[in-house]
């Protein structure tokens, strides 16, 4: 989940910069913003290392990265508005479950509509004969 945490932090930083009028902020500038926030929480991580973690997370999304500094993990969670890492995991799973249910509902609805339309066309064809 460290990859997800990191990617979400960079996405939030990017949205905040875009609200300020910076259309395409660099990953370095985003890392600098996040690093400054974490440093205010009495833990430090350089923007370069943070950027390296981010590149690694984007590069191989099948393998989770491991951020060994618990203070950095906690700082990233705080940056995203979570109380701690456990809170992040709990709320992320709840959000994922809701999204899966929404997609499932959409798929079932589309299949039902498709079957109804096929039935209607079938009746129309039989009625013409």
């Amino acid at each position: 989940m460290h990859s997800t945490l990191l990617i979400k932090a960079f996405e939030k930083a990017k949205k905040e910069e875009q609200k300020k009028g910076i259309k395409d902020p660099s990953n370095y500038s985003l890392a600098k913003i996040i690093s400054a926030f974490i440093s205010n929480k009495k833990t430090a991580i350089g923007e370069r290392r943070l950027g390296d973690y981010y590149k690694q997370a984007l590069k191989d999304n099948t393998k989770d990265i491991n951020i060994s500094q618990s203070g950095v993990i906690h700082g990233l969670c705080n940056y995203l508005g979570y109380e701690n890492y456990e809170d992040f995991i709990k709320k992320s799973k709840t959000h994922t479950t809701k999204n899966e249910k929404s997609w499932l509902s959409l798929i079932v609805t589309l299949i039902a509509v498709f079957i109804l339309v096929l039935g209607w066309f079938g009746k129309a064809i039989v009625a013409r004969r």
Side-chain angles (χ1 to χ4, degrees):
M1 291 290 288
H2 290 180
S3 293
T4 303
L5 177 64
L6 196 60
I7 290 169
K8 287 181 181 272
F10 271 77
E11 288 172 353
K12 178 182 177 183
K14 185 174 185 175
K15 286 178 186 175
E16 289 176 353
E17 289 298 283
Q18 288 173 335
K19 285 180 185 176
K20 294 177 185 176
I22 302 169
K23 291 184 180 184
D24 192 22
S26 70
N27 289 342
Y28 177 78
S29 66
L30 300 176
K32 196 171 181 179
I33 292 165
I34 299 167
S35 176
F37 180 88
I38 292 172
S39 294
N40 287 337
K41 298 292 179 184
K42 298 189 169 75
T43 299
I45 184 168
E47 51 270 357
R48 182 173 177 177
R49 183 66 182 137
L50 203 55
D52 288 344
Y53 278 138
Y54 181 62
K55 285 178 191 174
Q56 187 180 356
L58 291 177
K59 180 180 171 187
D60 189 3
N61 60 1
T62 60
K63 184 179 175 186
D64 195 29
I65 62 169
N66 182 29
I67 301 172
S68 59
Q69 294 173 281
S70 61
V72 172
I73 296 166
H74 188 75
L76 288 168
C77 290
N78 289 166
Y79 181 72
L80 290 170
Y82 298 100
E83 186 177 328
N84 54 37
Y85 189 60
E86 291 76 24
D87 186 38
F88 168 74
I89 291 172
K90 184 175 89 175
K91 290 180 179 171
S92 292
K93 286 184 181 179
T94 302
H95 184 70
T96 301
T97 304
K98 286 179 184 175
N99 283 343
E100 288 172 4
K101 287 179 183 177
S102 296
W103 276 105
L104 182 60
S105 299
L106 177 64
I107 290 170
V108 169
T109 303
L110 289 175
I111 290 171
V113 169
F114 182 72
I115 290 171
L116 289 171
V117 169
L118 281 178
W120 183 77
F121 276 120
K123 285 183 182 180
I125 291 172
V126 171
R128 285 186 172 184
R129 289 183 180 177

